[in-house]
């Protein structure tokens, strides 16, 4: 199914406030290139799209600006920012540092058998996405895998930090699937992480997580070459990107 603003909106939780739903939808639409780098955003058009007032749209713009995804230019408008290589590298560094610490904790506790079962089930569901070539679903399950691992070790705050800093990184991760980073490889890396945790092997778990978090470093140069118009300081001529 082709991803649109409407389909993303339908996927949000109706129990959340309009402000929260708008932020999640716009954030995800930028990550998935539904809203392309360099694209101008209109408060009125988005308010009309979701049948809401302009105030929650304006508030979502502020949060997206704080996340480094949009730029508000006085008297000129609001624009989706291009991908910053430096922001991607810094976010990757922070994420690796925190997630390595998380798996170190996971081998010390150890994790409950129910959590290990849940992680393995998530990997199985990821592998089913390979057969269906459902890359959007894989991306979601990848997020669930890392979130489950963080929360199971009691590191909720660490996961919140990761979510706050990884928006630029997520755009590159999304672009990398499946051509630059084959998803069977990512599923295998997840399996290696869980296997090391199950065995209580801290060194192996740390190494497996580090390898996994460094994967984006291999795909980033290729993506900059394939999509120069999406990256900051490369090209200002934005073309439509088909997801």
């Amino acid at each position: 199914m082709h991803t649109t603003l409407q389909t993303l909106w339908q996927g949000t939780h109706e129990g959340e406030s309009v402000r929260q739903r708008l932020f999640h939808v716009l954030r995800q639409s930028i990550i998935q290139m539904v809203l392309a780098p360099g694209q101008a955003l209109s408060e009125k058009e988005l308010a009309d799209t979701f049948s809401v007032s302009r105030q929650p749209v304006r508030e979502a713009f502020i949060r997206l600006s704080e996340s480094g995804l949009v730029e508000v230019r006085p008297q000129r408008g609001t624009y989706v920012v291009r991908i910053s290589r430096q922001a991607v590298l810094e976010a990757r560094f922070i994420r690796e540092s925190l997630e390595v610490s998380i798996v170190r904790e996971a081998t010390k506790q150890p994790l409950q058998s129910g959590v290990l079962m849940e992680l393995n089930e998530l990997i199985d569901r990821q592998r089913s996405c390979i057969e269906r070539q459902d890359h959007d679903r894989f991306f979601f399950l990848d997020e669930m895998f890392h979130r489950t691992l963080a929360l199971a070790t009691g590191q909720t705050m660490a996961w919140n930090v990761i979510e706050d800093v990884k928006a630029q990184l997520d755009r590159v991760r999304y672009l990398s699937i499946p051509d630059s980073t084959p998803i069977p490889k990512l599923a295998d890396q997840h399996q290696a992480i869980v296997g090391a945790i199950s065995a209580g092997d801290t060194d192996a778990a740390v190494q497996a997580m580090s390898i996994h978090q460094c994967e984006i470093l291999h795909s980033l140069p290729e993506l900059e070459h394939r999509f120069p118009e999406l990256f900051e300081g490369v090209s200002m001529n934005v073309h439509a990107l088909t997801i």
Side-chain angles (χ1 to χ4, degrees), residues 138-155:
F138 181 90
F139 191 87
F140 171 79
L141 293 171
D142 181 282
E143 290 288 291
M144 288 295 298
F145 176 87
H146 290 277
R147 181 178 184 275
T148 298
L149 187 53
L151 300 190
T153 58
Q155 301 304 319

Side-chain angles (χ1 to χ4, degrees), residues 111 114-123 145 148-149 194:
L111 292 183
V115 174
L116 292 172
M117 183 179 299
E118 183 178 357
L119 290 170
N120 279 311
E121 287 177 353
L122 284 168
I123 295 171
F145 176 87
T148 298
L149 187 53
V194 174

Side-chain angles (χ1 to χ4, degrees), residues 17-133:
S17 66
V18 171
R19 178 176 55 189
Q20 282 290 102
R21 293 177 73 188
L22 271 174
F23 172 72
H24 291 316
V25 167
L26 294 177
R27 183 184 187 278
Q28 198 61 27
S29 67
I30 293 172
I31 288 170
Q32 295 185 214
M33 306 294 165
V34 177
L35 298 175
Q39 182 173 338
L41 302 179
S42 165
E43 279 185 16
K44 182 180 185 305
E45 288 180 5
L46 288 171
D48 290 345
T49 296
F50 301 114
S51 299
V52 299
S53 70
R54 295 175 65 167
Q55 182 61 30
V57 177
R58 188 175 302 117
E59 292 173 354
F61 282 178
I62 293 172
R63 291 187 63 186
L64 291 168
S65 176
E66 292 170 349
S67 299
L69 290 176
V70 306
E71 179 184 4
V72 180
R73 304 175 188 172
Q75 310 303 319
R76 296 181 60 188
T78 300
Y79 297 83
V80 179
V81 302
R82 288 177 170 77
I83 300 170
S84 163
R85 178 184 178 87
Q86 185 61 32
V88 170
L89 295 177
E90 290 181 10
R92 192 217 62 81
F93 178 85
I94 293 170
R95 182 168 190 178
E96 180 187 2
S97 300
L98 289 174
E99 295 223 34
V100 161
S101 295
I102 287 169
V103 294
R104 187 177 283 115
E105 286 295 312
T107 58
K108 291 178 181 177
Q109 292 191 10
L111 292 183
Q112 296 179 356
S113 59
V115 174
L116 292 172
M117 183 179 299
E118 183 178 357
L119 290 170
N120 279 311
E121 287 177 353
L122 284 168
I123 295 171
D124 289 340
R125 290 161 65 187
Q126 289 167 14
R127 295 194 188 282
S128 71
C129 292
I130 298 171
E131 300 171 5
R132 302 194 308 269
Q133 296 188 340

